[in-house]
Amino acid sequence: MSTPPVILLLSGSLRAGSSNESVLRTAQAVAPSQLRTVLYDGLAALPHFNPDEDTDPLPTAVAGLRAAIDEAAAVLICTPEYAGTLPGSFKNLLDWTVGGTEICDKPVAWVNAAAAGRGQGAEATLRTVLGYTGADIVESACLRLPVDRQMVGPDGVIIDEGVREQLGKVLALLAAPR
């Protein structure tokens, strides 16, 4: 029996209980049995990007990030927008991926959970940086899905069935053969 493909879930938020984390926890909850999802939890541990340290041996946290990306069949991102762009901590994570080849040609998509009229700056920056990494942006899986706090249950998972269905479709598109 083969091992199910892994979709790595990357949250751009450090805030506990953020809407972005709720989106990714919901993706985990609705993932079909033929997929495995892994929620990356090392964002806060990554050192500030320094090209002098982007050599072997990599800092431990960076090596862990790159290994998680390498082991994944695809990557799903959900990040907030701060001051019209990506949060600095998440941009830092992406900076650490530029020097590696782990994300190159890997299917990647994002879910924008921001309120209507918000989040475009983060999306634009994400698209630019992912272009530098050589990631394969799966346009059909990129989704604008505003999340209202009333949509989230006490366990941090979104209870709205329409949202859950859309996230299931995102995972299926990411896992589809290319």
Side-chain angles (χ1 to χ4, degrees):
M1 186 167 178
S2 65
T3 305
V6 171
I7 297 186
L8 182 64
L9 308 173
L10 297 177
S11 174
S13 180
L14 290 170
R15 187 170 61 83
S18 73
S19 298
N20 302 282
E21 184 178 315
S22 291
V23 165
L24 296 177
R25 289 197 182 284
T26 305
Q28 283 187 300
V30 302
S33 59
Q34 66 268 25
L35 290 179
R36 193 165 66 90
T37 58
V38 173
L39 182 60
Y40 176 75
D41 64 358
L43 179 61
L46 290 170
H48 294 290
F49 177 71
N50 179 344
D52 292 337
E53 294 180 20
D54 196 4
T55 60
D56 287 329
L58 288 168
T60 303
V62 175
L65 167 66
R66 287 190 180 175
I69 293 170
D70 192 45
E71 293 166 8
V75 177
L76 179 61
I77 297 168
C78 191
T79 183
E81 177 179 275
Y82 290 131
T85 190
L86 295 173
S89 56
F90 194 67
K91 174 64 167 67
N92 183 61
L93 178 149
L94 293 173
D95 287 344
W96 279 112
T97 68
V98 173
T101 59
E102 297 81 8
I103 204 167
C104 187
D105 297 324
K106 191 159 302 242
V108 177
W110 58 79
V111 174
N112 180 342
R118 310 280 305 235
Q120 295 91 332
E123 282 186 36
T125 304
L126 201 50
R127 182 179 301 285
T128 297
V129 177
L130 290 172
Y132 280 99
T133 68
D136 176 15
I137 298 173
V138 181
E139 298 290 344
S140 61
C142 293
L143 181 64
R144 184 170 276 279
L145 187 67
V147 173
D148 183 288
R149 293 309 302 165
Q150 289 74 31
M151 298 168 81
V152 181
D155 59 356
V157 175
I158 297 170
I159 55 176
D160 182 278
E161 285 304 319
V163 170
R164 294 169 68 90
E165 183 180 317
Q166 287 182 298
L167 289 172
K169 289 178 183 176
V170 166
L171 293 173
L173 288 167
L174 273 174
R178 302 213 165 353

